[in-house]
Amino acid sequence: MTAREAQAQTNRLPSALVPLLDTLLPGDGGPSASQAGVDTALVSLARNDRYLAQIIVMGCQWLDQQAKVQGATDFAALDEAGRINVVLKAEREEGNPVPGLMLRMVLDHAYKAYYSNPATWPALGYNGPPQPVGFPGHDAPVAK
């Protein structure tokens, strides 16, 4: 696959990408990865990075192939347990470096996009950065 083909396919958002992201970041009390717009952020990054685009496309193709081995039409058609099994296999894949590399790259970018989104902060108990409000009353004595 050429970089141009990978770029064109990434612009169409591989069908395995959203279920992969939602498997990695399901929300658990907050928004899932796709609800937080992580898929859109990742595709935007891939439009400007041919290597990332190619790895995403090739990795998503691998995910779809693994889903077919399990009897599904593609990765998106697997249930949660099936998707988790394929992701675990990607982590352990030794004969092909693409699945593990894709997983590491997607996780790195997905974590940054997810945790920088203020919509995800309440579920973490994080109220946001202290600035620009600062720390009002920092110069006052500690209340007893």
Side-chain angles (χ1 to χ4, degrees), residues 107-130:
L107 274 170
D108 181 53
H109 292 295
Y111 285 157
K112 289 174 187 172
Y114 186 83
Y115 292 112
S116 66
N117 183 336
T120 65
W121 298 348
L124 302 171
Y126 179 61
N127 297 322

Side-chain angles (χ1 to χ4, degrees), residues 57-72:
V57 169
M58 291 170 61
C60 286
Q61 288 172 343
W62 184 89
L63 293 172
D64 286 338
Q65 290 169 351
Q66 296 306 306
K68 288 177 183 174
V69 169
Q70 293 189 25

Side-chain angles (χ1 to χ4, degrees), residues 45-127:
L45 287 170
R47 284 190 185 119
N48 298 314
D49 184 338
R50 289 186 333 206
Y51 182 68
L52 177 61
Q54 192 169 11
I55 292 297
I56 288 173
V57 169
M58 291 170 61
C60 286
Q61 288 172 343
W62 184 89
L63 293 172
D64 286 338
Q65 290 169 351
Q66 296 306 306
K68 288 177 183 174
V69 169
Q70 293 189 25
T73 55
D74 59 16
F75 185 75
L78 290 171
D79 62 7
E80 182 181 11
R83 289 192 308 268
I84 289 171
N85 285 335
V86 172
V87 168
L88 291 172
K89 184 174 182 181
E91 282 183 318
R92 296 185 307 265
E93 184 69 25
E94 293 180 11
N96 181 355
V98 171
L101 178 61
M102 181 271 303
L103 191 57
R104 286 188 301 277
M105 291 177 79
V106 165
L107 274 170
D108 181 53
H109 292 295
Y111 285 157
K112 289 174 187 172
Y114 186 83
Y115 292 112
S116 66
N117 183 336
T120 65
W121 298 348
L124 302 171
Y126 179 61
N127 297 322

